[in-house]
Structures are given as structure tokens and as C-alpha cells.
Amino acid sequence: MDIRSLALRMVARVSDLRSRIRRLERREAVAFSRWIENTNNLLHLTVLLIIPLLIAVVTFVSNAVSTLSFLLFPPLASGSYTLFSDPEGKYASPLKFVLALTVGALCGLVAYGFTTWVYGPLGTAIVHPTSAALAIFLAGAATWALDVEAPSAFSTALLTLVTGNVNPEEYVVSIFFASLVIAVVFSVWRDEFYERRAEYLYGTVTGDDHVLVPMRGETADRTAFFAAKLAAAHQAGKVVLLDVLSTNETEAGEPDASAVTAATDAAVERLEQTAHHIQTRLGVPVEVVVARGDPLSATVEAAGNTNSDLVVTPYEEDRGLLSDYVRGLFGGAYDTVAFRSVGESSQWRRILVLIARPGDTAHGMIDFGTRLAGKTGSVSVTTCISAEVERRRAESKLANLVETAEGNIETRVARTEVTKFITSNAESYDLVVLGSSGERSGASRFISPPTFERIREIDCDVAVFDRGN
């Protein structure tokens, strides 16, 4: 083998290695983005990153200013955790945070002054039991009266009694300014990032503007209208109607150019009629595309060529199971909705969204529900539990999911099996939205088939959502 051939092989191997690394990086980036869409994961990560940074800043200032006490840190750390770990909770008020820590320190200062006046100075290393009891009593009474009860107030009340070489008055002032800094950082973080996390993190909420609709089966027109309703919710929304001609439709023996042209023209005419109807009803831009070849491959290629980010296809079954075509789209590169239509209505005002677990799929389904319901409809975001002990955690999960969504939304926790719940309540809704169970293992789906395969008889439209890779 000559040197030139060896060099070419080395270059090819390096290029292949770089391509693999880029693919791995993309997969890891996608996995991380979906992981952080879970609000609990986002809050845990925030606590791990922001609180150490804040304490580091306070430590730096404490080392530079001799009048600041190290005893600032315990109440600040615990109070910061309370703020950032539950930014919508009872204690997540910047004003109450500053007030509680400062009032607690003031109560400790009053208790320290009273005990010194009664018993005289006891030294920096000794705390009189009366001081401790009085500090806690005053802190409890003051925070109760001011409606700023917080656990950290009790810690500052006690720590004021043991400030060491720092005067208690200086400790109170230090607590106020340090807590003020943390409160400002928390307010900026909550208002500018946490409350707007859907804008920054949830891809299904900010994307899915261009919708590709494979026009297959008897419910294709209804599916196209359903897709157009989704696209109409965004200003940049657009619908692409796709018809894939098989070889039998375009050839008879050897390829016949005139037959291909005739079949293509007929398909275009059919698609343009549907496109005109959609544009007239909803005002959404509609394009038509006719392709030829394998339906699945042609659909994926058309999605790429038309810059589509969502595929809405009619629901299809083959011998009681999901068809190979829909199964091929599920788990593919694009977000996919399989729409199963049972009626003639073109309005979906009462929508049931079934949530199994938090994450990007859940946010996507809620987003679709609010798009379809509009300002006058309603969305019921529901999860099912098997035991009453799971209720509080389930309610918290749903609250985190819906707080970034807009519209008339209710949350509901039902203690029943999910298929029984859907069967019992489907008649109250126009549409049921649920996930494809794509995140479950093959063994899990074999033991317990996906929910959408177990609710064939309900008298309600169903939209099955699968998050693309």
C-alpha cells in the first residue's frame, strides 16, 4: 500500500470519527434538553448551580469585610434553597424572605439585649437559656403577626445570640443586605427565566409551525383540517398536503410518462381542492406535494424538503395493531400525531389531555390541546393514580406542567385505571390527546399495550403524539 492510499484511508477514518462524535454530541444535547424540560429536574439543577455561586459571592465579601460573620451562611443557604427549590411555593416571596431573616435577627437582638440587661454580660461563648427561649418566642410571634413565617427566621434569631467577635447589631445589618442580594437574584431568575421557561426550553411549544399531512385513507380531509387548526395557532403556521403515488398508480409494465403525468395531475387536483377548503375556512397557507415511491420514505423525505417539523397522519391499524407506516413515523426524526377521527365535527373545544409522566411529550400534548381549544374552549390535563398516597405528588406534577401554558386549563387527578377513566369520560370531550408510549421499552409495551390501542371503542376523536428523535 503506497503512502498516498494510506493517507487517504487515515483521512477517511478521521472524518468518520468526527461524524460519529458530532452525532453523539447531538444525541446528548437532545437528551439533555428533554431532561431539563422536566420542571423538577430544572429546579434541582438550579439549586446545584445557583446557590453555591451565591454563597461563594457572600463568602468572598465576608472575607473582604471583617465585620461580616460566617454565621450569615446557614440561614442564607437554607433560605435560598427554599426560594429556588419551590419558586411558586408558600415561602417563595423575595419580600418575605428578606423580612423573615431580618425580623428573626432583630428578635434575637432584642432577646440578647434583654438578657444582658437582666443578667449582665455572659461572654461570647455562652448563651443564656432565657435568651434562646425569648428569641424563638419573639421570632414566632413577629413573623406570625407580619405573615412572613419562614423556618430561616428562627435560625437568624438564635445565631444573633452567638455572633462571636461581631456585634449583634452588625450581624442584623449584614443579614439584611445579604438576604436582599439573594432576593434580587431570585426575582430576576424567576421573572426572566423560570416564568418564561416554555419560551426557552420547550421545543414543542415554540416549534411545530410547519405541518406535513400525508393524505391517506378515508379520514385524510378531516386529518388535514385538524392539522390546519394546530398550525393556525402560530403566525408562521403552514400546512403541506402530501400524496404519495405508488408504482401501480403511475406505471403499467414499463414506465409510461403520460400515465405518470395523468396520475400526478389527478393527485394535485384532489389536494388543491382540500387546500382551498382549508385556506377558505382557516386562512392558513397550504402547499401541495405529490411524491412517488415507498410511502414511509417519501413522507420522511417530503418533511425534510418542506422544512416541516410536525407530521399529522390519519391513524391506521393493521390486524388490530398499529400499521407499519404509522409505526415507522413514530420514533422517527419528526414529531408525529396520529389522528383517529370518529365524527364529522370540525371543532375541538373540550379536550382531555392524559399525562403519564412529566417531560417534553407532556408539554407538547398540552400545547396542542390549548392550540385547538383556543380562547373559548377548555383543556383538562389529567393523570391517573393507583393509590391515594400518590395524589399530592401527582397534583404537584400537573401544576408544574400547566403553569407555563395559557388558556382555560384545569388539572385533574383520578384514582382509577387510565383506560377505565377514558371510557367513562370520553363522551364529555371532543378530543382525547395521549402519548405514544415511545419512551417505554418493547417488553413493557408487550406486557401492557399502549393506551391508545386499548380504547378503540370510545366515541371521541383521539390524537396520539410521538416526540421525534
Side-chain angles (χ1 to χ4, degrees):
M1 180 181 297
D2 57 26
I3 296 178
R4 184 171 180 276
S5 299
L6 180 61
L8 290 175
R9 290 186 63 181
M10 291 295 294
V11 170
R13 289 183 178 180
V14 171
S15 178
D16 182 60
L17 179 61
R18 292 173 63 181
S19 298
R20 291 183 180 183
I21 292 174
R22 284 195 295 267
R23 287 197 297 270
L24 179 62
E25 289 175 345
R26 285 195 296 269
R27 285 198 298 268
E28 293 298 325
V30 170
F32 176 76
S33 66
R34 295 185 178 179
W35 177 84
I36 205 172
E37 285 185 12
N38 185 323
T39 300
N40 289 332
N41 294 337
L42 173 63
L43 293 179
H44 283 304
L45 186 63
T46 300
V47 168
L48 288 176
L49 295 180
I50 291 185
I51 293 181
L53 182 61
L54 288 174
I55 296 302
V57 171
V58 175
T59 303
F60 177 80
V61 176
S62 176
N63 292 335
V65 182
S66 59
T67 56
L68 294 182
S69 171
F70 183 80
L71 296 177
L72 283 171
F73 304 143
L76 289 179
S78 62
S80 299
Y81 177 83
T82 301
L83 285 177
F84 286 96
S85 64
D86 189 11
E88 302 292 342
K90 177 181 178 181
Y91 301 113
S93 166
L95 177 62
K96 289 185 177 182
F97 171 75
V98 175
L99 200 56
L101 266 66
T102 306
V103 167
L106 285 172
C107 291
L109 179 62
V110 171
Y112 175 83
F114 175 80
T115 308
T116 301
W117 176 69
V118 174
Y119 299 102
L122 298 177
T124 58
I126 301 176
V127 177
H128 198 283
T130 303
S131 295
L134 183 58
I136 293 297
F137 172 79
L138 292 175
T143 55
W144 183 20
L146 295 172
D147 192 27
V148 294
E149 294 176 280
S152 52
F154 294 96
S155 64
T156 55
L158 290 177
L159 290 172
T160 307
L161 306 176
V162 289
T163 54
N165 296 326
V166 178
N167 292 330
E169 294 85 353
E170 294 176 343
Y171 179 76
V172 174
V173 174
S174 301
I175 278 289
F176 170 74
F177 283 106
S179 61
L180 184 62
V181 170
I182 290 177
V184 169
V185 172
F186 170 75
S187 296
V188 172
W189 170 82
R190 185 174 65 178
D191 295 342
E192 298 301 322
F193 178 77
Y194 182 77
E195 296 291 353
R196 300 171 59 187
R197 62 191 185 278
E199 177 182 342
Y200 299 128
L201 299 178
Y202 304 157
T204 52
V205 177
T206 57
D208 293 335
D209 295 326
H210 295 181
V211 185
L212 177 71
V213 184
M215 300 294 285
R216 298 166 57 90
E218 298 178 355
T219 62
D221 287 347
R222 283 260 298 157
T223 302
F225 194 84
F226 175 84
K229 291 281 286 186
L230 288 176
H234 287 182
Q235 290 185 349
K238 181 182 73 173
V239 176
V240 179
L241 304 181
L242 171 68
D243 195 354
V244 180
L245 303 181
S246 67
T247 303
N248 292 333
E249 289 180 274
T250 59
E251 295 180 1
E254 294 297 322
D256 184 341
S258 61
V260 171
T261 302
T264 302
D265 291 343
V268 169
E269 184 178 355
R270 290 195 303 268
L271 295 182
E272 288 184 340
Q273 288 178 354
T274 303
H276 177 73
H277 175 68
I278 291 173
Q279 289 174 321
T280 302
R281 291 281 304 275
L282 300 176
V284 179
V286 183
E287 295 180 4
V288 299
V289 174
V290 177
R292 180 166 172 259
D294 174 69
L296 180 58
S297 301
T299 300
V300 174
E301 183 178 354
N305 292 338
T306 58
N307 195 31
S308 299
D309 39 31
L310 174 66
V311 177
V312 177
T313 182
Y315 184 90
E316 297 177 0
E317 287 188 345
D318 182 13
R319 288 171 290 185
L321 299 175
L322 201 62
S323 71
D324 291 339
Y325 175 79
V326 178
R327 190 181 296 111
L329 291 175
F330 282 2
Y334 298 96
D335 291 354
T336 301
V337 173
F339 178 65
R340 187 168 73 194
S341 174
V342 297
E344 297 298 328
S345 174
S346 59
Q347 299 292 329
W348 297 273
R349 297 299 186 191
R350 300 166 301 166
I351 300 172
L352 173 65
V353 178
L354 269 297
I355 301 296
R357 56 188 60 82
D360 54 341
T361 299
H363 287 294
M365 292 192 295
I366 294 171
D367 177 49
F368 293 153
T370 55
R371 289 198 213 181
L372 294 166
K375 295 181 180 179
T376 59
S378 62
V379 179
S380 177
V381 181
T382 303
T383 192
C384 294
I385 59 176
S386 57
E388 193 62 28
V389 70
E390 303 171 15
R391 182 173 297 277
R392 180 168 296 182
R393 184 176 180 180
E395 289 173 345
S396 176
K397 175 183 71 176
L398 294 183
N400 287 336
L401 286 171
V402 304
E403 66 185 7
T404 59
E406 297 181 356
N408 183 12
I409 306 174
E410 67 167 0
T411 59
R412 183 175 180 181
V413 178
R415 186 179 172 182
T416 183
E417 199 271 329
V418 62
T419 55
K420 292 182 180 179
F421 176 82
I422 295 174
T423 302
S424 301
N425 293 273
E427 62 181 15
S428 301
Y429 298 95
D430 302 317
L431 176 71
V432 174
V433 182
L434 64 165
S436 67
S437 302
E439 67 275 14
R440 292 170 53 194
S441 66
S444 174
R445 292 194 297 272
F446 177 78
I447 295 172
S448 178
T451 302
F452 63 84
E453 292 185 350
R454 292 181 277 144
I455 55 170
R456 295 184 177 88
E457 304 302 324
I458 66 170
D459 187 21
C460 179
D461 290 348
V462 176
V464 184
F465 176 58
D466 182 83
R467 190 75 161 97
N469 294 327

